[in-house]
Amino acid sequence: MSIEAARPIVAEKGSGEFRRGWGVVLAALLGIGLGLSPMPIYTFGVFAPYLAADFGWSMGQIMSGLAVTTLVVFWAGPLAGFLAVRYGARRIALLSSLLFGLALCMLAFSNGSLPLFYGTWALIAAVGAGTLPITWTRPVNRIFDVHKGLALGISMIGSGIFGMISKPYLAWAIETYGWRGAYVALGMLPILIAFPAAFLLFREGRGGSESLRHSAASESGMTLREAVRSWRFWLLAVALVPISFALAGPMPNLEVMLRDGGLSAPDILKLTPLLGLTALIGRLMGGWLMDRFWAPAVGFVILGMPVISCWIFTAATLDFYAAGLAIILIGIALGVEFDLIAFLVARYFGMRSYPAIYGCLYVSFALGAGLAPAFFGRDHDLHGNYDFALTLSLFLLLAGAASLLFLGRYRRFDSAPAAASSSN
C-alpha cells in the first residue's frame, strides 16, 4: 500500500480512538487528578502552617509525612500494578478511590502525635496506590495508538486542574470549617467525583463493547522479568530518582519559599495557582509533542527547563515576575513527567505487563518525590533557606534529564506476546 493510501486509514483510526475512548480518558482524568499522585504533594504546604501552629511541629517533621508515603509506595505501587494485571485496572481503581478518600478524612483526627500522623499517611499511601497512574493509564494505552501521547496528556491534566483549584478550595474550606474540616472536604473529592466517574465510564474492553475490545497486538511486549533484565528499565529507574527529587521538592515548600523571598501574601496567592495551570498546559503540550517527536528528546528539553527555576529561587530577594517564570517552568515539567513515564513504558516495554512494569518504575519516581520535600524542609530548618537543596536539584535535574537521551529507538513487538525478547 502506498503512503498516500495509508494516510487516510491512519487518520480514520486516530479519530476513531477518541470516539471509542473518551469515557475512559475522562474517568482517568478525574481519577488521576483526585488520586495519590497529586493530592498530598499539592496540599501539604497548605496544611503545614496550621499543623505547626497547633502542634509545634517543624517544617521538616511535617514534610516527613511525604517520606512515609514514599516508603509505603515502594511495595504498594508494584503491588497495585500486579493486582491490576490479575484483577483488572477498573476493580483496583474503584476500590482504591473509595478507601483513599476515607483515609484522607482520617487526618482530621490528628492530635499532635507524630506517629499517628505518619501512620495515617502510611495508610493513605497503602490504600491509595491503586489511584496512581499505574492503573488509570492502562486502558488508555490499550485503546490509543496514533494519539497515545495526547490521550495520556489529557488523562493526566486532572493533576494540573487539581493543582489549580486545590489551594483556593482548601483556603475556603479552612476558613469555613477549620483545617480539620478541610481534611474531610479533601477526602470527599475522590469519593464523590472519582469513584462515580470510574464506575460509570472506566472500562477495559473485556466483556463490554466490541469497539473497546483490545487487539492481540495491544497485549504484546515484555513480561516484568524480561523488562527487569533490560538495561533500558534500569536507565529509566535511575533517571527518575533525580528528576522527581528536583521537581517535587519545591512544590509543598513553594509558599514558604516565596514568603522567604520577600513576596507579600496577595502576591503569593496570585502566583501559586500557576503551578497547576502550567502543569495542565504541560500535559497537553507534552502529549502532543510526544506523538510527533522522539519522546526522550521531548523529555530532556522540558524536564531540563526547571534548572532555571532552581537558580531563580536561590536569590535572596525574589522578583514577582521572575518567581512567576520559575513556577511556570516547574509546572510545565511536572505536567510532562507522568505522561512521559506512561508513554515510555508502553513504547519500550509494550502492554503485556504494563501495570507491573510501570508500578516498579514508579518506585523510583516515588523515592525522589517522597524524600525531596522532607529534605527541602530540613534544609530550611537548618539554614533558614533552601539554597543547598535548590543547588543540588539543579545538577540532579540536568543529569537525570540528559540520561533519557540514551534510551535509543522505540521497541517494536510482534502480536504474539512470546515474541518479546529480553536480549535488549
Side-chain angles (χ1 to χ4, degrees), residues 32 37 77-78 81 132-138 141 152 156 224 227 233 240 337-343 345-346 349-350 353-365:
I32 293 171
S37 173
L132 294 170
I134 296 165
T135 53
W136 297 106
T137 58
R138 187 194 191 198
N141 264 311
L152 287 170
M156 299 284 191
L224 177 60
F233 176 92
L240 287 174
E337 191 174 32
F338 279 126
D339 308 25
L340 182 68
I341 299 172
F343 191 94
V345 170
F349 306 108
S353 297
Y354 172 86
I357 296 170
Y358 193 161
C360 290
L361 286 173
Y362 192 86
V363 169
S364 295
F365 171 85

Side-chain angles (χ1 to χ4, degrees), residues 50-65:
Y50 300 94
L51 297 172
D54 280 12
F55 303 138
W57 296 342
S58 70
M59 282 296 167
Q61 288 174 319
I62 294 169
M63 295 302 169
S64 293

Side-chain angles (χ1 to χ4, degrees), residues 188-210:
M188 294 308 294
L189 292 177
I191 295 173
L192 297 180
I193 298 176
F195 179 85
F199 184 80
L200 295 173
L201 300 173
F202 199 56
R203 297 288 185 272
E204 296 187 81
R206 292 178 180 170
S209 168
E210 181 68 27

Side-chain angles (χ1 to χ4, degrees), residues 71-256:
L71 295 175
V72 176
V73 166
F74 279 165
W75 61 265
L79 178 61
F82 284 117
L83 293 175
V85 172
R86 182 164 185 175
Y87 298 106
R90 182 175 184 270
R91 291 179 180 176
I92 301 305
L94 280 170
L95 179 61
S96 189
S97 295
L98 183 61
L99 296 179
F100 174 64
L102 293 174
L104 279 173
C105 292
M106 292 176 61
L107 288 167
F109 298 99
S110 298
N111 60 5
S113 167
L114 276 172
L116 176 62
F117 182 69
Y118 295 153
T120 305
W121 276 109
L123 177 64
I124 290 169
V127 301
T131 68
L132 294 170
I134 296 165
T135 53
W136 297 106
T137 58
R138 187 194 191 198
V140 176
N141 264 311
R142 282 171 140 182
I143 295 169
F144 290 86
D145 183 49
V146 175
H147 297 304
K148 185 188 294 290
L150 181 58
L152 287 170
I154 295 173
S155 300
M156 299 284 191
I157 65 173
S159 297
I161 294 173
F162 178 77
M164 274 196 307
I165 68 171
S166 60
K167 297 183 191 300
Y169 172 71
L170 289 176
W172 165 82
I174 291 172
E175 183 179 354
T176 306
Y177 305 108
W179 65 264
R180 296 182 187 275
Y183 268 130
V184 176
L186 185 67
M188 294 308 294
L189 292 177
I191 295 173
L192 297 180
I193 298 176
F195 179 85
F199 184 80
L200 295 173
L201 300 173
F202 199 56
R203 297 288 185 272
E204 296 187 81
R206 292 178 180 170
S209 168
E210 181 68 27
S211 65
L212 287 179
R213 192 164 296 157
H214 62 280
S215 65
S218 70
E219 291 299 292
S220 64
M222 294 183 176
T223 64
L224 177 60
R225 178 175 295 182
E226 290 170 336
V228 170
R229 292 175 179 172
S230 166
W231 62 267
R232 288 183 176 90
F233 176 92
W234 292 106
L235 177 62
L236 270 175
V238 172
L240 287 174
V241 176
I243 291 172
S244 61
F245 180 95
L247 295 180
M251 288 176 63
N253 293 283
L254 185 59
E255 287 88 347
V256 179

